[in-house]
Amino acid sequence: MPLILFSAKSERWSIYESPLRAALQEVGLGDATLVTEAAPEDVDYIVYAPNSGLDDFTPYTRLKAVLNLWAGVEDVVGNETLTVPLARMVDAGLEEGMVEWVTGHVLRHHLGMDTHILGQDGIWRAEAPPLARDRAVTVLGMGELGASCAKALAALRFRVSGWSRSPKEVDGVTCHSGTEGLDAALSGAEIVVLLLPDTPATRNVMNARTLALPAKGAVIINPGRGPLIDDDALLAALDAGQIGHATLDVFRQEPLPPEHPFWAHPGVTVTPHIASETRPISASRVIAENIRRGEAGEPFLHLVDRKAGY
Amino acid sequence: MPLILFSAKSERWSIYESPLRAALQEVGLGDATLVTEAAPEDVDYIVYAPNSGLDDFTPYTRLKAVLNLWAGVEDVVGNETLTVPLARMVDAGLEEGMVEWVTGHVLRHHLGMDTHILGQDGIWRAEAPPLARDRAVTVLGMGELGASCAKALAALRFRVSGWSRSPKEVDGVTCHSGTEGLDAALSGAEIVVLLLPDTPATRNVMNARTLALPAKGAVIINPGRGPLIDDDALLAALDAGQIGHATLDVFRQEPLPPEHPFWAHPGVTVTPHIASETRPISASRVIAENIRRGEAGEPFLHLVDRKAGY
């Protein structure tokens, strides 16, 4: 039976121990050893949070795979001591939560809800928004999360465009790709959703030049990764009115420091990295299934493409 | 060629004249006479807003049908001088707008957005909501609008229950009906959406007794009709914490007077009857199609059941 090291902060262990043991039992690995400390040379699998403090995998000589607890792998993918397969978390709960958060905030901005939520002043402002079919929404990133969000928005009849590094086809979505496709995807967009991975190629994808492409007053929604946005360029575009609002869930530094200008800017809504949280029960099942596969000699699911960086 | 009387306030005429003429042209009735004043005995059809001032249909001796500009017919359905067919507005734009507003506000409450929209204070409150699959939403009213909203919510994986006077079947929705079914539909609901017509049987459907049935802290969303709610009972339930929030788009008196306690109550969001606005282009097509049918001897669409009151 394999030895599984859970390497994450202690508060994660208290959340994950019980669902992980249950999930291992479900796949016939109830006798596996699941611990938070072990001699490196005895460890078969590491369930891993990149902020756990473990960053030298060299002593883990019999390691078969590292199973990331989160979808984002940017803090581990470049680790040269990691030579065994690395799997991302692809959690149905995480994807569903993201679709709900993105759909909710797109509808919030589409409907102009804040006018009412913040303006309960007795004034009857009866202006109906256009229909979704007349609203242009662009999703940057057509991976699992981006494509699912784009499809949910298209089902609500939004006019959805998508962009990805390599060409993709998604039902109901006008798909662009490559460097030249980015400008086409952004031009005229009224709501832009960022769901790209954090790689050297995507850093500052929203910068002074690209922030000028959407329709005047457009909304930026970022549930992806903080470094996708050049923060200073965004603040300038907000102050100039080119961008009407930004709803941001991820930041270069988290928690976002209280003195950061995003908190005080009336055109910015900060949410505390809640767009998509891995849910312990479903995530534990994904990890247990990958360990079962490793033990059975079957291919791992959700492997990271180390060259692409995600 | 028929004579069509447009009977609504003058600001409506300025909005509707051009799309109505275009829609009549589209169905081959470009030569029809469309006017805002005519001798009653010459009128074939009335395009009608219940607040137009016309409330005696007796002199309209050759009238073939009354085509309501709005979905709500409560102010005309009991008019005993109206003996010809009465058609409601069933506008695709109206239905789409309603689905967007309902889906948006259900997601707003599901995600707890107001905490962030109203609380940009530098405090990182990282609490993720449950998934939609674990959120019980009940829609009262399974007519065109209610069923469309229920289906859109079910597509986002909410656990949706519906209630209607007579039994209905809607894909993905647990349907209840009849007097006894109402309590079952409301019991334990976390978000309740009111999309019933305004009839003697539905008035005050949300009262002190029924407001106690949903889960503690439940949200009431009313884009239907103002009289569906006993306002005093709702305020009491909000003050007691039994109802956590109410987002209300319709009221017994509109515009809602500035001194009404709903404006100032922190647990109430007032929106100015914008959940569903008839869009002139699509609504004009619905009216023109019904006139074409009347002229061709075909059955009218969207006829009101005068006994049921809608």
Side-chain angles (χ1 to χ4, degrees), chain A residues 233-246:
Chain A
L234 176 59
L235 287 164
L238 283 161
D239 290 337
Q242 162 57 17
I243 300 299
H245 200 94

Side-chain angles (χ1 to χ4, degrees), chain A residues 130-175:
Chain A
L131 291 173
R133 60 168 71 220
D134 297 315
R135 184 76 79 183
V137 181
T138 291
V139 180
L140 300 192
M142 287 283 107
E144 286 93 350
L145 294 179
S148 291
C149 291
K151 279 188 255 186
L153 294 169
L156 286 165
R157 297 193 181 81
F158 284 102
R159 288 201 284 115
V160 184
S161 296
W163 180 80
S164 49
R165 190 172 47 98
S166 51
K168 293 270 170 72
E169 282 191 28
V170 180
D171 275 356
V173 178
T174 305
C175 288

Side-chain angles (χ1 to χ4, degrees), chain A residues 115-140:
Chain A
T115 303
H116 305 295
I117 294 169
L118 297 165
Q120 291 289 299
D121 52 6
I123 298 173
W124 192 258
R125 299 175 181 84
E127 263 180 69
L131 291 173
R133 60 168 71 220
D134 297 315
R135 184 76 79 183
V137 181
T138 291
V139 180
L140 300 192

Side-chain angles (χ1 to χ4, degrees), chain A residues 41-115:
Chain A
E41 63 274 17
D42 295 336
V43 172
D44 295 289
Y45 299 91
I46 300 178
V47 177
Y48 185 69
N51 65 357
S52 67
L54 194 172
D55 54 12
D56 181 6
F57 292 93
T58 317
Y60 294 83
T61 48
R62 61 179 283 169
L63 194 60
K64 297 176 187 166
V66 171
L67 309 162
N68 212 52
L69 266 179
W70 304 332
V73 293
E74 63 271 16
D75 292 333
V76 59
V77 74
N79 188 322
E80 295 188 352
T81 69
L82 176 56
T83 54
V84 300
L86 169 67
R88 276 177 305 131
M89 177 52 59
V90 178
D91 172 31
L94 184 151
E95 181 176 315
E96 289 174 28
M98 181 63 89
V99 169
E100 294 166 19
W101 190 92
V102 166
T103 306
H105 282 279
V106 167
L107 281 167
R108 166 192 161 213
H109 289 296
H110 165 62
L111 296 169
M113 280 185 197
D114 290 16
T115 303

Side-chain angles (χ1 to χ4, degrees), chain B:
Chain B
M1 275 291 155
L3 190 153
I4 304 161
L5 175 67
F6 186 87
S7 178
K9 293 196 171 168
S10 59
E11 61 264 30
R12 295 270 158 190
W13 177 243
S14 62
I15 295 170
Y16 274 91
E17 182 183 2
S18 158
L20 259 181
R21 291 197 191 281
L24 287 166
Q25 186 88 41
E26 280 174 14
V27 297
L29 292 170
D31 294 337
T33 306
L34 176 66
V35 292
T36 57
E37 283 184 27
E41 63 273 18
D42 295 336
V43 173
D44 295 290
Y45 299 92
I46 300 178
V47 178
Y48 186 68
N51 65 356
S52 68
L54 193 172
D55 55 11
D56 181 5
F57 293 93
T58 316
Y60 294 83
T61 48
R62 60 179 284 169
L63 193 61
K64 296 175 188 167
V66 171
L67 310 163
N68 212 52
L69 266 178
W70 304 332
V73 292
E74 63 270 18
D75 293 333
V76 59
V77 72
N79 187 323
E80 294 188 352
T81 69
L82 176 56
T83 53
V84 299
L86 168 66
R88 275 176 307 131
M89 177 52 59
V90 178
D91 171 32
L94 184 152
E95 181 175 316
E96 289 173 28
M98 181 63 89
V99 168
E100 294 166 19
W101 189 92
V102 167
T103 306
H105 282 279
V106 167
L107 281 166
R108 167 191 160 212
H109 290 296
H110 165 61
L111 296 169
M113 280 186 198
D114 290 16
T115 304
H116 305 295
I117 295 169
L118 297 165
Q120 290 289 299
D121 53 6
I123 299 173
W124 192 258
R125 298 176 181 83
E127 263 180 69
L131 290 173
R133 61 168 71 222
D134 297 315
R135 184 75 79 181
V137 181
T138 292
V139 180
L140 300 191
M142 286 285 108
E144 284 93 351
L145 295 177
S148 291
C149 291
K151 278 188 256 187
L153 294 170
L156 285 164
R157 297 193 181 81
F158 284 102
R159 289 201 283 116
V160 184
S161 296
W163 180 80
S164 50
R165 191 172 46 98
S166 51
K168 293 270 170 73
E169 283 191 27
V170 180
D171 276 356
V173 178
T174 305
C175 289
H176 302 269
S177 62
T179 312
E180 69 294 343
L182 180 64
D183 288 17
L186 286 174
S187 292
E190 293 167 275
I191 300 175
V192 177
V193 181
L194 308 182
L195 277 167
L196 291 161
D198 177 21
T199 72
T202 63
R203 249 156 245 171
N204 292 328
V205 64
M206 297 313 296
N207 53 48
R209 189 187 74 77
T210 54
L211 285 164
L213 296 173
K216 188 162 174 70
V219 169
I220 305 291
I221 299 180
N222 187 13
R225 292 284 157 190
L228 299 176
I229 297 180
D230 176 334
D231 291 356
D232 293 334
L234 175 59
L235 287 164
L238 283 161
D239 290 337
Q242 162 58 16
I243 299 300
H245 199 94
T247 289
L248 310 174
D249 189 55
V250 289
F251 306 90
R252 284 164 193 265
Q253 187 185 346
E254 293 183 8
L256 186 70
E259 66 275 14
H260 194 288
F262 282 160
W263 282 112
H265 199 291
V268 177
T269 305
V270 172
T271 67
H273 205 142
I274 52 167
S276 178
E277 284 265 312
T278 303
R279 268 72 175 182
I281 295 174
S282 47
S284 294
R285 289 195 178 119
V286 173
I287 288 167
E289 168 62 12
N290 251 347
I291 294 174
R292 185 200 67 73
R293 286 171 166 258
E295 293 303 287
E298 299 174 20
F300 290 108
L301 297 173
H302 317 311
L303 285 183
V304 170
D305 175 347
R306 310 287 280 275
K307 272 192 205 143
Y310 63 94

